[in-house]
């Protein structure tokens, strides 16, 4: 499996090692192993790594079929996964709706302030004034005992069945752009109609993420299926990278999250 590294970026090697360790445990002990919540890029890596083994498979679940962040279950090929194997709890946030509003950022910040690693909880769902979030089942008691306020707002957590999760589906609006290279600053400037210098400044200021991780290097090479996000501009997905135009520009299909 050593050859697997050549297909990925150096900063992803540590995560590849984590998945390889789990795969070895499954192979040696012939029992399933569960990851924390993974973003789509991590899921792609996990699926690629496990795909190199003939005797095991991987399945993903984040609490509902519409979630972005999902846990991976790596298991022997004889095993049939069930929903309970993913050990996910869902909490509905009860709060005084008439007197305050909650935001994704406030909820995320509060959970992180409790000392919970981002990988221990999944999507934060919103539909109108309703808010929910998924969390590792093993963290459920700690969360309910510690989370009493979000900002200055008193809240109460109600654990609900996964089948009662809010349905939140992402919609992407497609567009075709060209760029002289796959450098992050070039792709960003063309996608957002910014000057190259402005895009470079945003990246160096830590305002840009690639696959949910801050990237401060404008030279960073983008790849197909990458998710870019720039603060204040939303998310961009590199759907497909095509060949070059007659003017030697790279054509690519991108999507903007609505």
């Amino acid at each position: 499996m050593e050859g697997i590294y050549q297909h990925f970026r150096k900063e992803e090697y540590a995560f590849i090692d984590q998945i390889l360790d789990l795969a070895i445990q499954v192979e040696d002990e012939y029992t399933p192993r569960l990851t924390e919540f993974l973003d789509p890029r991590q899921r792609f890596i996990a699926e690629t790594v496990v795909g190199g083994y003939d005797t095991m498979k991987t399945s993903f679940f984040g609490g509902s079929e519409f979630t972005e962040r999902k846990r991976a279950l790596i298991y022997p090929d004889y095993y049939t996964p069930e929903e309970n194997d993913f050990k996910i709890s869902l909490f509905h946030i009860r709060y005084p709706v008439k007197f305050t509003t909650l935001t994704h950022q406030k909820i995320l910040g509060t959970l992180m302030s409790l000392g919970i690693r981002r990988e221990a909880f999944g999507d934060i769902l919103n539909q109108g004034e309703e808010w929910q979030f998924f969390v590792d089942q093993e963290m459920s008691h700690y969360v309910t005992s510690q989370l009493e306020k979000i900002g200055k707002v008193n809240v109460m957590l109600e654990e609900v069945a996964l089948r009662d999760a809010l349905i939140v589906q992402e919609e992407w609006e497609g567009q075709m752009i060209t760029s002289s290279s796959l450098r992050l600053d070039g792709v960003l400037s063309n996608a957002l109609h910014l000057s190259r210098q402005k895009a470079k400044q945003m990246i160096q200021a830590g305002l840009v993420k690639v696959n949910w991780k801050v990237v401060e290097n404008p030279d960073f090479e983008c790849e197909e299926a990458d998710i870019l996000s720039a603060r204040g501009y939303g998310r961009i997905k590199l759907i497909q990278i095509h060949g070059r135009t007659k003017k030697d520009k790279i054509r690519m299909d991108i999507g903007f999250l609505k």
Side-chain angles (χ1 to χ4, degrees):
M1 291 295 290
E2 290 184 6
I4 194 73
Y5 295 98
Q6 66 181 322
H7 301 292
F8 298 99
R9 299 169 174 131
K10 287 185 177 180
E11 58 267 27
E12 296 171 327
Y13 288 0
F15 179 72
I16 293 172
D17 289 340
Q18 291 178 33
I19 300 301
L20 284 172
D21 285 344
L22 290 176
I24 291 169
Q25 291 176 40
V26 173
E27 189 174 46
D28 291 346
E29 302 169 18
Y30 225 49
T31 55
R33 286 290 181 268
L34 184 64
T35 71
E36 297 179 300
F37 286 91
L38 309 179
D39 63 45
R41 175 66 179 181
Q42 291 172 319
R43 295 204 307 274
F44 171 71
I45 295 172
E47 194 167 32
T48 303
V49 172
V50 176
Y53 291 85
D54 296 328
T55 58
M56 67 184 74
K57 298 179 180 179
T58 181
S59 292
F60 302 98
F61 185 60
S64 85
E65 63 177 300
F66 304 108
T67 53
E68 179 179 81
R69 301 176 65 83
K70 303 177 188 290
R71 304 189 80 172
L73 186 73
I74 303 171
Y75 54 95
D77 52 9
Y78 76 87
Y79 191 81
T80 302
E82 297 182 357
E83 190 174 281
N84 290 339
D85 290 326
F86 292 88
K87 299 179 180 178
I88 298 172
S89 293
L90 173 64
F91 286 100
H92 197 106
I93 304 173
R94 302 296 181 187
Y95 68 103
V97 174
K98 292 183 178 179
F99 304 104
T100 189
T101 56
L102 297 182
T103 65
H104 187 284
Q105 187 174 4
K106 286 180 181 178
I107 297 169
L108 177 61
T110 300
L111 289 168
M112 299 287 282
S113 71
L114 297 178
I116 303 174
R117 298 175 65 244
R118 182 63 183 94
E119 293 79 8
F121 56 94
D123 283 16
I124 297 172
L125 309 178
N126 171 234
Q127 197 174 83
E129 296 170 335
E130 295 187 90
W131 290 89
Q132 298 175 339
F133 65 89
F134 296 102
V135 67
D136 182 342
Q137 214 168 65
E138 294 183 358
M139 299 296 297
S140 296
H141 178 71
Y142 178 76
V143 170
T144 52
S145 65
Q146 297 294 317
L147 200 157
E148 298 178 345
K149 288 178 178 289
I150 294 178
K152 297 180 179 179
V153 180
N154 291 319
V155 301
M156 183 179 73
L157 299 183
E158 177 189 357
E159 187 167 2
V160 296
L162 296 182
R163 64 176 177 272
D164 295 326
L166 299 173
I167 298 176
V168 181
Q169 292 180 271
E170 288 186 344
E171 291 185 41
W172 297 85
E173 185 175 333
Q175 184 179 324
M176 195 274 284
I177 65 168
T178 61
S179 178
S180 58
S181 73
L182 291 174
R183 282 174 45 126
L184 180 56
D185 57 352
V187 174
L188 201 64
S189 66
N190 285 286
L192 299 179
H193 305 291
L194 302 172
S195 69
R196 189 75 168 257
Q197 184 61 26
K198 171 66 174 176
K200 185 175 182 179
Q201 289 173 350
M202 290 176 63
I203 295 165
Q204 292 174 331
L207 303 179
V208 176
K209 293 182 180 180
V210 179
N211 300 324
W212 296 269
K213 295 178 177 61
V214 174
V215 174
E216 298 181 352
N217 178 14
D219 297 342
F220 183 91
E221 286 283 314
C222 296
E223 296 179 2
E224 197 167 278
D226 278 347
I227 303 288
L228 317 181
S229 60
R231 192 176 301 174
Y233 291 91
R235 290 186 189 176
I236 305 163
K237 178 191 289 187
L238 270 66
I239 298 172
Q240 187 173 3
I241 297 172
H242 302 285
R244 290 184 177 271
T245 66
K246 293 180 179 179
K247 295 184 178 181
D248 204 31
K249 299 273 190 177
I250 301 172
R251 291 188 304 112
M252 62 189 82
D253 292 324
I254 64 172
F256 291 92
L257 185 62
K258 290 185 177 181

